[in-house]
């Protein structure tokens, strides 16, 4: 972002904001109106520069054909949970949400409170990466393939620890006990379907 001129930065941030609000990119005329440029040709010049610098991609001969190469939200600083802190008007940088999401393959909605002390609450969404290497202490999705028909395929979200003769699935809730599974049973009846990469919480929960 540092190599942009102030006008190019304004154009980039407007494209980002407009796309987030409307679900589609703006036209050159809408961009010009937002950033104070009367000529659509002048807007096109700045877009060409942004494209050459790798910030956007455009499709020829299409009105709304601008795509940001890094989808993100402005990071405006820090927010205090204690004494208040000032939030600056100018962003300190951008959080690339697209890059974060690319680390996972799908979302699961959490049901229950077993991971509450890891700040994973019921109703949250966890981003799962089924291809990640698993290390001790990772939060994983473990699936039990044994049991009766109603229980078979049941999955649980826990921290994973593998010992010599057993596996521990540890909750992040001091009121709950860990699950210990014999090593042979683990190999025969259990499977790790993925590692948690991120947690998303919606403060306005979807109505069901």
């Amino acid at each position: 972002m540092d190599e942009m001129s102030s006008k190019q930065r304004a154009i980039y941030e407007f494209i980002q904001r407009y796309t987030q609000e409307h679900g589609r990119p703006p036209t050159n005329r809408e961009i010009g109106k937002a950033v104070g440029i009367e000529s659509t040709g002048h807007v096109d010049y700045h877009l060409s520069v942004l494209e050459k610098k790798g910030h956007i991609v455009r499709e020829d001969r299409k009105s709304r054909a601008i795509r940001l190469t890094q989808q993100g939200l402005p990071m405006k600083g820090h927010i205090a949970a204690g004494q208040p802190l000032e939030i600056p008007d100018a962003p300190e940088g951008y959080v690339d949400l697209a890059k974060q999401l690319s680390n996972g393959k799908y979302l699961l909605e959490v049901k229950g409170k077993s991971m509450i002390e890891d700040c994973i609450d019921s109703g949250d969404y966890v981003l799962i990466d089924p291809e990640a290497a698993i290390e001790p202490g990772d939060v994983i999705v473990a699936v039990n393939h044994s049991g009766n028909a109603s229980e078979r395929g049941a999955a649980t979200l826990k921290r994973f620890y593998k010992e010599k003769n057993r596996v521990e699935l540890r909750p992040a809730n001091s009121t709950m006990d860990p699950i210990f599974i014999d090593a042979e049973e683990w190999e025969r009846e259990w499977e790790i379907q993925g590692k948690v990469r991120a947690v998303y919480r919606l403060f306005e929960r979807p109505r069901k």
Side-chain angles (χ1 to χ4, degrees):
M1 299 291 288
D2 293 340
E3 70 272 21
M4 293 183 190
S5 69
S6 59
K7 188 63 72 175
Q8 290 159 11
R9 185 186 297 273
I11 290 172
Y12 183 93
E13 291 177 354
F14 173 72
I15 295 170
Q16 185 178 55
R17 185 169 61 253
Y18 187 100
T19 303
Q20 290 166 354
E21 292 175 357
H22 298 276
R24 65 182 190 278
T27 64
N28 285 18
R29 191 173 301 279
E30 289 167 336
I31 294 171
K33 183 177 180 180
V35 302
I37 299 176
E38 294 184 2
S39 168
T40 55
H42 194 186
V43 171
D44 190 71
Y45 163 76
H46 285 297
L47 292 176
S48 296
V49 174
L50 288 172
E51 188 171 25
K52 288 178 181 178
K53 291 179 178 179
H55 296 299
I56 66 171
V57 175
R58 295 191 296 170
E59 293 182 43
D60 293 337
R61 297 181 293 278
K62 289 188 178 181
S63 176
R64 298 180 185 272
I66 304 169
R67 179 174 59 83
L68 303 182
T69 55
Q70 291 188 343
Q71 296 287 349
L73 294 174
M75 214 291 286
K76 285 200 166 187
H78 304 86
I79 182 67
Q83 295 297 318
L85 292 174
E86 181 181 357
I87 299 177
D89 291 331
E92 294 183 355
Y94 284 81
V95 176
D96 189 350
L97 299 181
K99 184 177 181 180
Q100 289 189 6
L101 287 170
S102 69
N103 288 328
K105 299 297 183 183
Y106 59 89
L107 293 170
L108 293 173
E109 184 177 356
V110 178
K111 297 294 184 183
K113 300 280 188 177
S114 71
M115 301 302 292
I116 190 68
E117 290 168 15
D118 277 342
C119 299
I120 304 175
D121 200 357
S122 188
D124 291 348
Y125 296 89
V126 286
L127 178 66
I128 306 301
D129 182 356
E131 299 173 359
I134 306 301
E135 301 290 340
D138 284 344
V139 181
I140 56 100
V141 177
V143 179
N144 184 357
H145 294 296
S146 65
N148 57 42
S150 62
E151 296 174 342
R152 194 172 299 121
T156 185
L157 196 70
K158 297 289 186 292
R159 285 199 176 273
F160 173 80
Y161 297 91
K162 189 171 185 179
E163 303 172 10
K164 183 177 180 180
N165 296 317
R166 68 180 183 179
V167 166
E168 178 187 355
L169 300 180
R170 185 184 301 174
N173 186 325
S174 56
T175 68
M176 297 182 178
D177 295 326
I179 301 170
F180 292 104
I181 305 161
D182 178 79
E184 291 185 4
E185 178 187 344
W186 174 263
E187 293 297 329
R188 185 176 64 250
E189 299 178 356
W190 289 78
E191 175 189 6
I192 296 177
Q193 286 200 343
K195 173 180 175 177
V196 173
R197 289 291 195 181
V199 182
Y200 299 93
R201 178 168 300 166
L202 304 179
F203 281 91
E204 293 184 6
R205 305 285 191 186
R207 294 185 178 182
K208 296 183 178 180

